[in-house]
């Protein structure tokens, strides 16, 4: 099954680092990728290209629902 280009789950850590370096060098502000966190089961990180460089964010699932 195919996955979205922005999702880089299942790739080796070094390959993800290369992808992030390519994003930094060649991406446009607003380009992003979502990666799996090796330090957390079911954890994800967001890497987004900004005018100032790459920004990394941890995506956390919450159990609180908003209406």
């Amino acid at each position: 099954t195919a996955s979205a280009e922005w999702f880089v789950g299942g790739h080796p850590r070094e390959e993800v680092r290369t992808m992030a370096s390519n994003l930094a060098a060649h991406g446009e502000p607003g380009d992003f990728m979502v990666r799996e966190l090796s330090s957390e089961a079911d954890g994800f990180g967001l890497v987004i290209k900004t005018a100032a460089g790459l920004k990394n964010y941890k995506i956390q699932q919450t159990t609180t629902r908003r209406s």
Side-chain angles (χ1 to χ4, degrees):
T1 180
S3 64
E5 290 181 16
W6 49 263
F7 183 68
V8 296
H11 293 279
R13 183 180 211 131
E14 287 304 315
E15 189 174 337
V16 173
R17 285 186 178 153
T18 299
M19 291 173 170
S21 294
N22 288 335
L23 179 63
H26 306 292
E28 298 290 327
D31 289 350
F32 68 95
M33 65 184 199
V34 175
R35 62 185 178 83
E36 293 176 317
L37 297 178
S38 58
S39 60
E40 241 178 81
D42 298 326
F44 297 94
L46 170 67
V47 181
I48 187 166
K49 170 77 181 259
T50 70
L54 293 182
K55 300 290 182 178
N56 293 279
Y57 299 92
K58 182 178 176 182
I59 299 172
Q60 289 185 293
Q61 180 179 3
T62 63
T63 56
T64 305
R65 292 185 167 220
R66 295 183 180 178
S67 317

